């Protein structure tokens, strides 16, 4: 099975080499009504610069945290992470907030009462982000990733402000079937059993959202998906790269 997954990954790389842009598998019932928010300006090989997700702008991307103010990310004490970054999300109508992300966290740093219900475990890769909406308060995103398709059932992910919780699930397949990739190609966000947003994190990225979302909920979900688009880029070799 592992050899088959490697072949699937190789096939995906060959597709990229041949300029074939693959699309992740999206739940059919969700895709029938979902609105695609075009992703433009996102660098394929560098995790820097501004980019657009529909009418939203991901801007002010910096490695490290410059605008935390009086609170700590995720309300955790003594956060230890190999990668930290921040960016702002702007909606074109005057709303803007900063999103703070950290990946490759030590699980011992993740002990806090934030509304996220994931039980941490060793030997996982953790990614967390934090932001505050003036309307719906503080939001916390956490993913716990075993790092491969064969252990996908161990993956856990949530985006929560205590009163509302979206679960996050990884997607390993492209549209059209075929073998799963060994690495995550995107994520689904669910409210209960219903998919409300999906993000493809490979290639230039793709985003779909439910048209029924209220403006604040849409911006909250876009914030989480934008952070995951940058998180996947941080997993690449970043020597010599700069955030603008």
């Amino acid at each position: 099975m592992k050899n088959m997954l490697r072949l699937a990954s190789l096939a995906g790389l060959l597709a990229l080499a041949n300029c074939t842009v693959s699309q992740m598998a999206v739940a059919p019932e969700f895709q029938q009504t979902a609105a695609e928010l075009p992703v433009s300006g996102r660098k394929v090989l560098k995790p820097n610069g501004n980019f657009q997700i529909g009418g939203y702008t991901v801007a002010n991307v910096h490695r490290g945290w410059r605008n935390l103010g009086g609170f700590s990310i995720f309300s955790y004490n003594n956060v230890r992470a190999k990668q930290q970054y921040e960016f702002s999300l702007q909606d074109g109508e005057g709303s803007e907030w900063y999103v703070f992300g950290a990946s490759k966290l030590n699980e011992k740093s993740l002990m806090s009462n934030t509304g996220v219900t994931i039980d941490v475990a060793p030997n996982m890769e953790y990614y967390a982000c934090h932001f505050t909406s003036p309307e719906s308060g503080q939001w916390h995103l956490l993913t716990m990733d075993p790092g491969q398709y064969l252990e996908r059932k161990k993956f856990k992910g949530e985006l929560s402000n205590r009163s509302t919780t979206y679960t996050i699930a990884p997607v390993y397949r492209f549209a059209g079937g075929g073998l799963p990739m060994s690495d995550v190609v995107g994520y689904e966000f669910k409210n209960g059993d219903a998919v409300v947003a999906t993000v493809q994190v490979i290639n230039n990225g793709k985003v779909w959202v439910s048209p029924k979302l209220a403006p604040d909920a849409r911006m909250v979900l876009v914030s989480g998906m934008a952070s995951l688009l940058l998180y996947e880029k941080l997993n690449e070799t970043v020597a010599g790269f700069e955030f603008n």
Side-chain angles (χ1 to χ4, degrees):
M1 182 64 180
K2 289 184 177 180
N3 288 333
M4 294 173 69
L5 291 174
R6 291 193 186 99
L7 288 173
S9 296
L10 179 59
L13 292 173
L14 289 174
L16 290 176
N18 291 324
C19 298
T20 299
V21 179
S22 299
Q23 178 177 302
M24 65 175 276
V26 179
E29 63 277 11
F30 170 68
Q31 193 168 24
Q32 286 175 5
T33 60
E36 181 176 350
L37 305 184
V39 178
S40 60
R42 178 176 179 258
K43 304 293 193 301
V44 175
L45 297 178
K46 292 185 179 182
N48 66 342
N50 295 2
F51 63 92
Q52 301 292 128
I53 302 176
Y56 301 94
T57 300
V58 177
N60 302 309
V61 183
H62 299 293
R63 187 177 298 282
W65 301 327
R66 303 183 182 187
N67 296 281
L68 275 173
F71 60 88
S72 60
I73 187 170
F74 231 31
S75 299
Y76 294 148
N77 296 320
N78 302 316
V79 171
R80 289 177 289 176
K82 292 183 180 178
Q83 296 171 337
Q84 301 171 357
Y85 67 92
E86 70 177 33
F87 65 90
S88 68
L89 187 73
Q90 307 162 357
D91 70 354
E93 298 180 359
S95 295
E96 178 182 23
W97 57 57
Y98 270 86
V99 181
F100 307 96
S103 64
K104 300 188 183 299
L105 291 154
N106 185 304
E107 70 273 8
K108 293 181 181 179
S109 297
L110 299 177
M111 301 298 178
S112 179
N113 182 21
T114 62
V116 173
T117 61
I118 294 173
D119 292 327
V120 299
N123 303 319
M124 298 282 187
E125 179 173 323
Y126 293 93
Y127 169 72
C129 85
H130 169 101
F131 55 90
T132 301
S133 160
E135 181 176 333
S136 52
Q138 292 188 358
W139 288 85
H140 303 91
L141 181 151
L142 177 64
T143 62
M144 185 175 75
D145 190 349
Q148 59 170 300
Y149 174 78
L150 292 175
E151 296 185 353
R152 63 194 181 280
K153 292 184 179 180
K154 295 180 180 180
F155 183 100
K156 303 292 182 183
E158 287 186 2
L159 172 62
S160 179
N161 71 342
R162 294 181 183 270
S163 62
T164 299
T165 296
Y166 300 102
T167 57
I168 304 170
V171 178
Y172 292 88
R173 294 180 181 274
F174 290 108
L179 292 172
M181 299 290 285
S182 59
D183 297 319
V184 173
V185 299
Y187 301 87
E188 288 182 338
F189 288 71
K190 292 184 177 182
N191 188 357
D193 294 329
V195 178
V196 293
T198 301
V199 57
Q200 174 177 309
V201 295
I202 64 167
N203 302 333
N204 290 325
K206 287 179 177 288
V207 167
W208 295 265
V209 296
S210 168
K212 298 179 181 180
L213 292 170
D216 181 73
R218 177 179 285 213
M219 192 163 174
V220 163
L221 286 161
V222 170
S223 298
M225 291 187 288
S227 75
L228 290 171
L229 283 165
L230 285 168
Y231 161 48
E232 291 301 321
K233 288 301 177 186
L234 286 172
N235 286 341
E236 298 174 357
T237 302
V238 294
F241 289 178
E242 294 181 357
F243 286 83
N244 294 328

